[in-house]
């Protein structure tokens, strides 16, 4: 498949939810088709209005008379019926064929009744002729559908924008230089060159070069991300400030971009409880309209008003058209899922999105979710008279040749603090205890309590007290020993993400409790929970027991979300009412979740809940408006206020119906104002701000 075809396929995907989901009545239709039909119908309706006897009488003018002028309304009205109204008639035929009558059927009934009444009047069988009402009715219906299709098309625009992110070709590195090849010819393990300012052509790992990569269309993150050798890049993102050589890891449908598009498309086409309610309401309204139309016709016939019987019945059918009801839910869903995708929130399952608004508690996995998943040195203390920077320099010199995560945390901390590190020699890793090396002629040991015990060295009372305090907080304590004397200690821990503080605070602010599940010790879990203000903790939980732990949180009917990133989180994600996977996590975790966060930012959980609540609110608002409008308008259309001199012409009924549709569409569009992205990361709270929220 060439790239052009790939774009075509993506475009088709972008409209799949429209064509095969909640908008079957528009299968085969397009924005352009409704637009063209509307404008031609408008041009033809103008002379129908000008030469209509009713319009002339109301406005007190006489239209020009010439041979055949009396046939203008009937001729053009008949053409408008088949040309402009044909799309509704075909839609009704499809609905009736599947025994699912809906708005196309109701519209068709209305225009057919108006068409028959007009011809009956033209033939002199009744004193009524409503060609102008038939024409304006069809015109307004075409306008409403055009606006609806435009709204849906705009909602699907995010998918098309994603499809257009891919470049047309890639520069593949060869033994002789580079060659330009179509994307379809790329294979896994190929090396591709990404020039400054160019889009990344495939998912892969950087093997040479460094650049700032704009990932905004994938993650919603507006700030470019620094990338270097060993980092991953995603197809469709933009490199700036340097060139990259990337080893391809995924192509075609296996890329992150394709996966995002599939998730958004699936969400827009998936089931929804609210949509099911709207569908039932629309079906019920069809039969209500039939009943109301029949009662209206018989009542006016009984009053000896056959003309009013036909006109009022047609008006009832027009008013009863559940057009706004049919648009109320699908458009909100399309906008919300697209909005989520643009902000790094991928909704795989609409039911999960609907449930998120009702959550009682959010459970976070600790490692890699609330924390960075890698140890970091967070503190250093020296004995009296010693320099803390020198202690750190000695420790980093010893650990420089070690690949142990704790050792690397020390080296990174020294580099971050611009500490000058001397060369070490005679390095020796002491398994399970630490490491030894010679620095400036001195023997330096770095290790934990077991190393202290093995060497039999004494620890200063002040250092010993600080070490016990760190241990109680769940931190790993490393001692730096110089020539048999402990000169300082280092505290290392799995660093809490700065974003986690804000995420927990915002969840509490929205009335949601926060819990944490971890396999770490109770001391480590309690320390993290105390700092973040987490309400409940489940510590020392084995991977196989995480799902059972989630089930315990669900006891008593609590609605629970689970947030995780690893393979061991997959059963827990599936067990939870709402599974939320960190997008950078494993494929298994992502597949088990209903919502995927593209970024490693726990604050996006708040964004998902915000999106859920706003989406539901818009659905309910639209449903209330759409149904209330019909409940009020149908009796007026039937003529219950006629004794008071209040009547509703067919054309006015059509205007009201279309206005209802426009209101529903405009209300759905207000979702686009929703702010889902968090502001700049807030600093962790000072001191023990959340100490009052002791973990259970």
């Amino acid at each position: 498949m060439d790239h052009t075809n790939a774009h075509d396929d993506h475009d088709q995907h972008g409209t799949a939810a429209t064509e095969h989901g909640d908008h079957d009545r528009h299968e085969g239709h397009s924005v352009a088709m409704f637009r063209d039909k509307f404008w031609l119908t408008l041009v033809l309706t103008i002379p129908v209005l000008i030469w209509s006897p009713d319009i002339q009488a109301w406005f007190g003018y006489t239209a020009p008379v010439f041979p055949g002028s009396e046939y203008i309304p009937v001729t053009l009205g008949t053409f408008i019926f088949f040309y402009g109204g044909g799309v509704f008639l075909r839609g009704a035929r499809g609905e009736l064929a599947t025994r699912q009558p809906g708005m196309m059927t109701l519209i068709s009934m209305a225009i057919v009744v108006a068409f028959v009444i007009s011809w009956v009047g033209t033939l002199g069988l009744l004193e009524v002729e409503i060609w102008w009402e038939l024409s304006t009715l069809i015109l307004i219906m075409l306008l409403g559908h055009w606006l609806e299709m435009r709204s849906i098309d705009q909602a699907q625009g995010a998918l098309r924008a994603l499809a257009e992110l891919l470049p047309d070709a890639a520069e593949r590195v060869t033994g002789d230089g580079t060659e330009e090849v179509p994307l379809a010819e790329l294979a896994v393990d190929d090396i591709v060159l990404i020039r400054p300012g160019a889009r990344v052509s495939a998912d892969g790992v950087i093997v040479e070069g460094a650049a700032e990569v704009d990932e905004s269309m994938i993650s919603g993150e507006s700030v470019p991300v620094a990338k270097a050798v060993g980092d991953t890049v995603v197809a469709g993102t933009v490199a700036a400030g340097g060139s990259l050589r990337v080893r391809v890891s995924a192509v075609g449908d296996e890329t992150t971009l394709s996966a995002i598009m599939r998730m958004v498309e699936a969400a827009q086409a998936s089931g929804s409880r609210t949509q099911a309610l709207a569908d039932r309401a629309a079906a019920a309204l069809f039969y209500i309209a039939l009943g109301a139309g029949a009662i209206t016709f018989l009542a006016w016939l009984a009053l000896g008003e056959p003309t009013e019987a036909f006109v009022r019945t047609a008006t009832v059918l027009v008013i009863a058209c559940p057009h706004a009801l049919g648009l109320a839910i699908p458009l909100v869903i399309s906008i919300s899922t697209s909005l989520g995708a643009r902000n790094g929130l991928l909704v795989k399952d609409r039911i999960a999105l609907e449930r998120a608004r009702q959550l009682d508690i959010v459970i976070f996995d600790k490692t890699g979710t609330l924390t960075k998943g890698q140890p970091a040195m967070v503190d250093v203390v020296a004995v009296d008279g010693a320099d803390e920077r020198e202690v750190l320099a000695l420790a980093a010199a010893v650990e420089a040749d070690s690949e142990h995560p704790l050792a690397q945390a020390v080296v990174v901390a020294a580099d971050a603090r611009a500490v000058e590190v001397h060369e070490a020699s005679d390095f020796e890793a002491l398994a399970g205890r630490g490491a030894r090396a010679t620095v400036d002629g001195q023997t330096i040991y770095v290790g934990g309590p077991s190393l202290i015990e093995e060497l039999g060295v004494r620890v200063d009372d002040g250092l010993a007290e600080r070490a016990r305090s760190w241990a109680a907080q769940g931190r790993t304590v490393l001692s730096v020993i110089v020539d048999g004397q402990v000169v300082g200690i280092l505290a290392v821990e799995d660093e809490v993400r700065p974003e986690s503080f804000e995420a927990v605070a915002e969840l509490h602010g929205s009335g949601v409790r926060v819990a944490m599940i971890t396999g770490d010790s109770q001391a480590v879990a309690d320390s993290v929970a105390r700092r973040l203000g987490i309400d409940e903790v489940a510590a020392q939980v084995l991977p196989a027991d995480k799902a059972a732990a989630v089930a315990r949180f669900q006891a008593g009917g609590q609605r629970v979300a689970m947030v995780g990133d690893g393979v061991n989180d997959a059963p827990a994600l599936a067990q939870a009412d709402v599974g939320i996977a960190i997008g950078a996590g494993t494929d298994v975790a992502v597949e088990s979740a209903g919502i995927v966060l593209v970024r490693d930012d726990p604050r996006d959980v708040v964004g998902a809940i915000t999106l859920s609540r706003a989406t539901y609110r818009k659905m309910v608002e639209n449903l209330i408006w759409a149904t209330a409008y019909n409940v009020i308008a149908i009796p007026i259309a039937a003529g219950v206020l006629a004794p008071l001199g209040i009547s509703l012409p067919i054309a006015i009924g059509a205007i009201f119906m279309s206005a209802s549709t426009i209101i529903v569409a405009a209300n759905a569009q207000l979702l686009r104002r929703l702010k889902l992205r968090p502001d700049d990361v807030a600093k962790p709270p000072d001191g023990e701000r959340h100490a009052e929220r002791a973990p259970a």
Side-chain angles (χ1 to χ4, degrees), residues 97-355:
T98 59
R99 298 181 180 180
Q100 293 180 327
M103 64 190 64
M104 287 296 192
T105 305
L106 280 173
I107 293 173
S108 297
M109 285 195 302
I111 63 176
V112 167
V113 170
F115 181 71
V116 171
I117 292 174
S118 296
W119 265 108
V120 168
T122 299
L123 297 174
L125 302 178
L126 281 175
E127 294 182 4
V128 62
E129 188 175 329
I130 54 172
W131 289 111
W132 72 272
E133 289 190 296
L134 170 66
S135 301
T136 53
L137 169 60
I138 293 173
L139 179 70
I140 293 166
M141 292 296 178
L142 289 172
L143 176 62
H145 280 72
W146 177 21
L147 294 175
E148 176 187 353
M149 292 294 291
R150 281 187 60 187
S151 297
I152 295 169
D153 190 65
Q154 290 169 359
Q156 300 289 342
L159 291 181
R160 287 192 294 273
L162 287 173
E164 293 168 359
L165 285 178
L166 291 175
D168 293 324
E171 280 194 79
R172 184 165 59 193
V173 178
T174 65
D176 303 325
T178 63
E179 61 177 352
E180 187 170 292
V181 298
L183 291 188
E185 293 187 14
L186 286 181
V188 174
D189 290 332
D190 280 349
I191 305 296
V192 293
L193 173 64
I194 312 298
R195 300 183 184 276
R199 290 195 179 276
V200 178
S201 49
D203 291 4
V205 179
I206 299 172
V207 295
E208 183 180 326
E212 298 284 321
V213 180
D214 180 0
E215 298 181 332
S216 57
M217 201 56 195
I218 301 294
S219 67
E221 180 61 66
S222 59
V223 180
V225 181
K227 300 280 187 176
V229 174
D231 292 331
T232 59
V233 289
V234 175
T237 56
V238 180
S243 62
L244 302 173
R245 291 179 185 257
V246 177
R247 184 181 303 278
V248 176
S249 61
V251 295
D253 290 341
E254 302 302 316
T255 62
T256 300
L257 189 63
S258 294
I260 289 173
M261 293 179 65
R262 286 196 301 272
M263 287 182 191
V264 176
E265 180 186 342
Q268 292 178 340
S270 64
S272 166
R273 293 173 178 173
T274 314
Q275 179 60 55
L277 175 62
D279 291 341
R280 289 195 297 271
L285 193 57
F286 168 77
Y287 296 105
I288 291 172
L290 282 181
I295 293 171
T296 299
F297 184 78
L298 295 174
W300 282 102
L301 278 183
L303 294 172
E305 298 283 352
T307 299
E308 283 294 308
F310 283 103
V311 174
R312 293 294 106 217
T313 300
T315 307
V316 167
L317 295 178
V318 171
I319 287 289
C321 178
H323 200 237
L325 188 61
L327 186 62
I329 305 303
L331 185 55
V332 171
I333 289 169
S334 287
I335 292 173
S336 66
T337 50
S338 300
L339 178 65
R342 289 196 300 272
N343 287 275
L345 308 174
L346 304 181
V347 181
K348 292 179 58 187
D349 181 3
R350 273 170 29 196
I351 297 294
L353 181 63
E354 291 186 16
R355 287 174 176 167

Side-chain angles (χ1 to χ4, degrees), residues 366-512:
K366 182 183 78 70
T367 306
T369 304
L370 291 175
T371 66
K372 294 184 177 181
Q374 57 188 25
M377 198 205 80
V378 293
D379 206 351
V380 55
V381 176
V383 295
D384 291 339
D387 183 7
E388 292 181 354
R389 291 178 62 85
E390 182 61 24
V391 170
L392 179 57
L394 292 172
V398 174
E399 302 284 29
D401 291 332
S402 175
E403 295 182 354
H404 194 282
L406 294 179
Q408 290 303 303
V410 174
V411 174
V412 169
D415 183 64
R417 302 185 187 194
V419 172
E420 185 179 355
V421 179
H422 298 270
E423 292 245 355
S425 60
D426 301 326
F427 171 81
E428 180 185 3
L430 306 174
R433 294 162 291 164
R436 179 192 63 80
T438 301
V439 182
D440 296 335
Q442 296 177 301
T443 300
I444 312 294
Y445 288 86
V446 180
S450 60
L451 182 62
I452 296 288
E453 184 177 346
E454 179 182 314
L455 298 177
V457 296
R458 181 182 174 279
V459 183
D460 176 83
D461 291 341
L463 291 183
E465 180 62 29
R466 180 63 65 90
R468 284 191 293 271
S469 173
W470 286 348
Q473 297 174 35
R475 295 175 172 177
T476 299
V477 181
L478 300 177
S479 298
V480 182
I481 306 167
V482 181
D483 293 336
Q485 181 183 356
V486 178
V487 297
I489 55 176
L490 312 173
V492 180
E493 67 178 4
D494 185 2
E495 189 176 5
V496 176
R497 296 181 185 276
E499 305 91 345
S500 298
F501 293 90
E502 189 174 344
V504 174
E506 289 187 2
L507 285 169
H508 284 147
S510 47
V512 179

